Amino acid sequence: MHAMTETTITAEELQASEYFHGHRCPAMPQGLRAGHVAMDWLEVPRARGGGELVAIIETGSHHFSGCFADGVMFATGCTFGKGNLIQNPLGKFALTLYVPKSHQAVRLIPHYERMSQCLTMDFFKLRAQGVPPFDLDPKVTEPLIQDVLTKPWTEIFALQEFEDYPFDPVPDVFEAVQCSLCHELTVKSYAQQFHHQWYCKPCLDGIIHARLAPTV
Ligand SMILES: [Zn+2]
Ligand SMILES: [Zn+2]
């Protein structure tokens, strides 16, 4: 393992990320921490545009600790809008951070014992009973937040390193067409031609399905 100086998560960053996220909870800061450790390990700065870094998260939707993704977005600058955040929904909690220029990547995997222990804690029991995180007693939430912010990162995550991570970047498209049916502007890579006319996907689907409808 190479020597790494971990960037400190400042009170300002934590506060700003909590504003973005909407509440205080332990899973979002775990994403912040994962994002920083990954950038520190790879020695890369936060993403300004879409091409510098790609974050791949493995959380799905509508399950515990999904807040992790917001911490990753805030720390790395890999966001939904810039298209450099990829959700590979596996129901797992790893973060892979990929650097297109060097093809290097790291994957941070929270330790099994840590994540499975969490589920037996009051925080998750109450969450499972339907208590929203912003209504929880700070006595329940705060120790978990402090723990995830202060514990040595190696006690939280295992790290896999990739010298040549398999990833095909998708170039940004700056062309658009008008759909012949609904007349809405559609990005060219999402439009399709049919009988020399451009169509958006729902309109083309409609035409194709109408044609395939059985005649009675
Ligand atoms: Zn949260
Ligand atoms: Zn259309």
Side-chain angles (χ1 to χ4, degrees), residues 21-29 66-68 70 123 127 133:
H21 180 51
H23 61 249
R24 273 178 83 78
C25 69
M28 189 283 287
C67 299
F68 176 80
D70 283 359
F123 177 85
R127 291 282 297 111

Side-chain angles (χ1 to χ4, degrees), residues 179 181-184 199-200 203:
C179 172
L181 198 59
C182 69
H183 306 303
E184 290 179 13
Y199 293 95
C200 74
C203 288

Side-chain angles (χ1 to χ4, degrees), residues 92-128:
K92 302 216 263 183
F93 298 93
L95 160 68
T96 302
L97 194 67
Y98 170 68
V99 186
K101 209 168 140 189
S102 65
H103 302 287
Q104 283 181 307
V106 286
R107 181 167 176 262
L108 289 165
I109 312 108
H111 294 305
Y112 174 82
E113 293 74 17
R114 184 183 169 85
M115 291 301 286
S116 54
Q117 263 171 22
C118 281
L119 286 175
T120 62
M121 289 177 180
D122 284 348
F123 177 85
F124 284 98
K125 282 184 191 158
L126 291 162
R127 291 282 297 111

